[in-house]
Amino acid sequence: MSKKTYNIAVLPGDGTGPEVVNEGLKVLKTAASKFDFTLHFETFDFGGDRYLRTGEVLPESASDELRKFDSIFLGAIGHPDVKPGILEKGILLKLRFDLDQYINLRPIKLYPGVPTPLKDKGPEHIDYVVVRENTGGLYTGIGGFTMKGTPHEVAVQSMVYNRYQVERCLRFAFDYTRKRNKRNTLALCGKTNVLTYVYDLWERAFHEIGAKDYPDIKREYFHVDATCMWMVKNPEWFDVIVTGNMFGDIITDLGAITQGGMGIAAGGNINPSGVSMFEPIGGSAPKYTGKNVINPLASIACGGMMLEHLGEDKAAAAIESSIMNVTANKLKGMGAGQMGYTTVEVGDLVAGGI
Ligand code: IPM
Ligand code: MN
């Protein structure tokens, strides 16, 4: 039988994106040769520099071209010379929407040796996953101004969800909780006391689907504000949290800082029946560009998530255990310039441990 081959689109992006992606690719290549599959990489230059050079955020053909790949490996989007919003909306959000990556999967896991700002908490307390709905809600961009620039100006931005979007996200979260098989508990994070339409829909669907098709999964509900509180005070309560797009964006930054910060937090934009895109939660950190000081572990961990998604479970597990070995025994800190090693050296350490 010939070796399994995966075609991967690589989007290094802006700032320190290319540096962390290099280390991610290094580790992926090592994993591929060790676990006997082939990875083909094709690089695309989408990002701020290309936009400044050509005036085009993303070529017309980009989404169709990317659809042909098995997966997408992204560094970071965001350029100091480009007004905030243009690249984020024109590249990141556009790809999430065009490729219907309706899940944003964000594991919040404290690796051994990684400092957390949560007092008296360790790896045994911080290990859960946020399933963020990724193509609906406030991110659909429905809204507008009227009487703009006058004292009576009105601005509207709507939180839009239909049953279909809510249901497919919840089903993914239930399935994921079952597959994870840790505490078999799914928590819905909402705001049913104020957002009495949107989160009413979420809550009804949650209990209907859960009672009918997932009786083995325990259901819990938390308002988003309380969720934040418990993520700090009792993170060990959580197994899997499912929530809408905006709340998911916010709580995953909180989660990321509890797992050691942006240097280590990985995520995946998932289309379960299409092309998914893996990217660190953090940004492009432009001030560290080219200095060989940025922490590449988030990108490396994204590589592990990507392999797991592609079905290469053993390789994915090997990457994660090598990361854990490096955080436990080597790195001094997680911040840029605080690791005690360069970006490239950290990549070498993880690759060497596979
Ligand atoms: C994230 C980011 C993006 C988001 C921005 C850059 C558009 O914050 O991936 O969490 O809000 O989804
Ligand atoms: Mn965010």
Side-chain angles (χ1 to χ4, degrees):
M1 214 178 85
S2 64
K3 271 200 217 180
K4 261 207 163 148
T5 298
Y6 304 97
N7 292 312
I8 310 296
V10 181
L11 278 55
D14 302 317
T16 52
E19 287 169 71
V20 299
V21 156
N22 277 343
E23 301 317 305
L25 294 179
K26 182 191 286 175
V27 172
L28 281 169
K29 284 173 193 161
T30 308
S33 69
K34 181 97 192 259
F35 291 90
D36 211 31
F37 54 90
T38 306
L39 294 170
H40 275 307
F41 298 108
E42 193 173 323
T43 304
F44 294 82
D45 67 350
F46 308 146
D49 287 328
R50 181 180 187 283
Y51 170 66
L52 291 170
R53 208 172 59 237
T54 64
E56 183 182 65
V57 187
L58 204 61
E60 196 77 51
S61 59
S63 299
D64 284 336
E65 244 182 277
L66 291 173
R67 241 186 277 278
K68 296 179 198 146
F69 287 83
D70 293 307
S71 206
I72 304 169
F73 193 61
L74 175 83
I77 297 293
H79 195 291
D81 302 334
V82 181
K83 209 177 122 203
I86 294 179
L87 301 171
E88 292 86 342
K89 258 190 149 161
I91 301 179
L92 197 57
L93 298 183
K94 183 163 170 35
L95 291 178
R96 287 178 184 172
F97 277 75
D98 280 2
L99 301 175
D100 202 19
Q101 294 162 340
Y102 61 87
I103 298 295
N104 199 319
L105 194 62
R106 298 188 159 180
I108 311 293
K109 182 166 180 175
L110 180 66
Y111 287 136
V114 176
T116 174
L118 299 190
K119 190 165 161 268
D120 302 331
K121 299 293 177 188
E124 68 277 29
H125 304 105
I126 304 174
D127 182 6
Y128 56 97
V129 177
V130 177
V131 175
R132 166 187 174 189
E133 198 289 328
N134 208 33
T135 56
L138 282 166
Y139 280 70
T140 50
I142 292 180
F145 299 110
T146 181
M147 295 174 280
K148 193 171 180 187
T150 75
H152 297 275
E153 175 169 349
V154 178
V156 178
Q157 195 114 29
S158 303
M159 185 182 279
V160 184
Y161 271 114
N162 62 25
R163 170 81 191 209
Y164 170 79
Q165 287 174 304
V166 170
E167 181 150 351
R168 66 180 183 172
C169 176
L170 289 170
R171 286 195 182 277
F172 179 94
F174 277 116
D175 286 331
Y176 187 86
T177 309
R178 189 181 266 167
K179 182 169 170 239
R180 177 173 154 92
N181 196 20
K182 193 161 179 246
R183 290 182 51 228
N184 289 299
T185 304
L186 179 61
L188 172 65
C189 162
K191 188 71 184 172
T192 52
N193 52 349
V194 176
L195 304 179
T196 50
Y197 306 120
V198 166
Y199 278 99
D200 188 77
L201 168 59
W202 275 85
E203 196 182 28
R204 273 183 288 119
F206 179 62
H207 290 301
E208 278 170 31
I209 294 165
K212 184 163 173 288
D213 294 334
Y214 303 91
D216 51 320
I217 304 299
K218 188 168 167 240
R219 276 168 274 136
E220 290 176 340
Y221 172 83
F222 299 95
H223 292 321
V224 61
D225 42 359
T227 306
C228 292
M229 187 170 75
W230 300 126
M231 281 170 68
V232 171
K233 187 155 189 300
N234 295 105
E236 65 278 6
W237 284 1
F238 294 115
D239 181 11
V240 180
I241 300 176
V242 62
T243 189
N245 207 343
M246 188 78 258
F247 293 165
D249 176 48
I250 297 166
I251 70 170
T252 53
D253 265 31
L254 173 59
I257 207 71
T258 67
Q259 69 179 127
M262 292 306 178
I264 186 102
N269 302 280
I270 311 283
N271 176 342
S273 54
V275 183
S276 299
M277 177 167 77
F278 296 83
E279 54 160 336
I281 294 187
S284 57
K287 70 174 177 185
Y288 298 116
T289 305
K291 296 198 157 69
N292 199 13
V293 296
I294 196 78
N295 187 341
L297 286 179
S299 180
I300 293 170
C302 280
M305 285 183 79
M306 183 172 82
L307 292 185
E308 187 182 343
H309 186 74
L310 291 170
E312 296 294 342
D313 290 13
K314 280 191 192 142
I319 292 178
E320 185 170 56
S321 76
S322 182
I323 292 175
M324 291 203 273
N325 186 32
V326 168
T327 58
N329 302 311
K330 302 279 182 191
L331 297 202
K332 294 202 172 69
M334 288 297 120
Q338 290 160 21
M339 300 180 293
Y341 295 89
T342 65
T343 305
V344 172
E345 284 168 344
V346 174
D348 290 341
L349 283 171
V350 179
I354 288 175

